[in-house]
Amino acid sequence: AQSVTQPDIHITVSEGASLELRCNYSYGATPYLFWYVQSPGQGLQLLLKYFSGDTLVQGIKGFEAEFKRSQSSFNLRKPSVHWSDAAEYFCAVVPRQGAQKLVFGQGTRLTINP
Amino acid sequence: ETGVTQSPTHLIKTRGQQVTLRCSSQSGHNTVSWYQQALGQGPQFIFQYYREEENGRGNFPPRFSGLQFPNYSSELNVNALELDDSALYLCASSQGQTQETQYFGPGTRLLVL
């Protein structure tokens, strides 16, 4: 079945430490790939997206993500997290065929220790 | 350039009632998508409107309906509310029918008692 999986429901890191959030997808053809962030009680803000080309994409707030076709993954990284990065992070895809809808993973909640 | 706006921000209804949620799309965008986000879950696609026509629908019953107006703003209507309809309802706008990036509003928090 087509799906998006974020294996980690909750991650805690210390301020200044590096971060990697995992995302795997299961689609016949590589979908369009997105990462969104949601602060408590807020809407979703786009961090970055991958449509084609360079497999390492840069986003806002110092985030980057790497597309790996062989692993069907699109992991989000940040070299050094800040307390303001505490939020819920969603990986999402838009299939290349069919309805133009975003399909979201379950989300990963990020907590930052001071 | 204004972003996506939604109203109201919060709403409390009782079972069986009807509700209308509103969304104004970002300037220059002609496509609006609606998502339901239950507590602790990722958003689920309800439907999408492109140039006033429904352009795709998720796995939601017919009591979820929508409209898009000539100015590309949109409404989500839910009839016969159920307790499980309690959620954050998110509207997103984009330009065109292809895989353009969707920009989200702040959402409407609906509580059904």
Side-chain angles (χ1 to χ4, degrees):
Chain A
Q2 298 179 331
S3 65
V4 179
T5 303
Q6 292 180 248
D8 305 305
I9 294 174
H10 185 204
I11 284 182
T12 301
V13 300
S14 298
E15 190 167 16
S18 64
L19 171 70
E20 182 169 27
L21 302 182
R22 296 182 291 164
C23 173
N24 294 94
Y25 60 89
S26 176
Y27 281 82
T30 302
Y32 300 96
L33 300 159
F34 303 81
W35 275 97
Y36 284 87
V37 61
Q38 186 176 37
S39 297
Q42 302 298 311
L44 297 166
Q45 182 181 23
L46 177 69
L47 286 175
L48 46 77
K49 61 187 178 185
Y50 174 76
F51 285 6
S52 65
D54 192 345
T55 57
L56 184 64
V57 293
Q58 302 298 319
I60 63 171
K61 305 185 179 186
F63 285 93
E64 66 178 26
E66 186 172 13
F67 166 61
K68 291 186 177 179
R69 184 187 305 275
S70 61
Q71 298 178 17
S72 297
S73 69
F74 188 55
N75 294 348
L76 182 72
R77 300 195 295 245
K78 187 169 185 178
S80 175
V81 297
H82 186 263
W83 63 266
S84 60
D85 293 325
E88 188 92 19
Y89 290 80
F90 291 95
C91 179
V93 308
V94 172
R96 291 188 183 247
Q97 296 180 351
Q100 306 306 303
K101 63 179 183 180
L102 280 162
V103 178
F104 287 86
Q106 185 116 3
T108 298
R109 183 160 61 93
L110 176 64
T111 299
I112 307 295
N113 281 337
Chain B
E1 179 183 285
T2 57
V4 180
T5 60
Q6 293 186 243
S7 63
T9 55
H10 295 83
L11 205 50
I12 300 176
K13 292 285 188 178
T14 56
R15 273 187 305 172
Q17 285 189 311
Q18 179 265 343
V19 69
T20 297
L21 310 181
R22 295 178 175 81
C23 171
S24 291
S25 59
Q26 186 168 312
S27 177
H29 288 181
N30 55 16
T31 302
V32 171
S33 305
W34 286 92
Y35 295 82
Q36 180 196 65
Q37 186 179 19
L39 202 60
Q41 303 293 318
Q44 299 288 318
F45 176 74
I46 303 174
F47 44 55
Q48 182 182 86
Y49 280 84
Y50 170 67
R51 292 187 174 181
E52 303 179 58
E53 297 288 331
E54 189 177 287
N55 184 45
R57 188 179 180 91
N59 189 26
F60 281 80
R63 59 190 184 84
F64 285 78
S65 63
L67 282 173
Q68 188 179 31
F69 299 99
N71 66 353
Y72 303 128
S73 66
S74 178
E75 287 183 353
L76 164 65
N77 299 289
V78 187
N79 294 321
L81 283 167
E82 301 178 359
L83 297 179
D84 285 348
D85 296 332
S86 295
L88 180 67
Y89 288 84
L90 295 163
C91 165
S93 76
S94 54
Q95 175 58 33
Q97 279 186 293
T98 60
Q99 293 77 9
E100 293 296 327
T101 304
Q102 296 183 24
Y103 295 90
F104 284 81
T108 294
R109 176 76 61 186
L110 173 65
L111 178 61
V112 182
L113 301 176

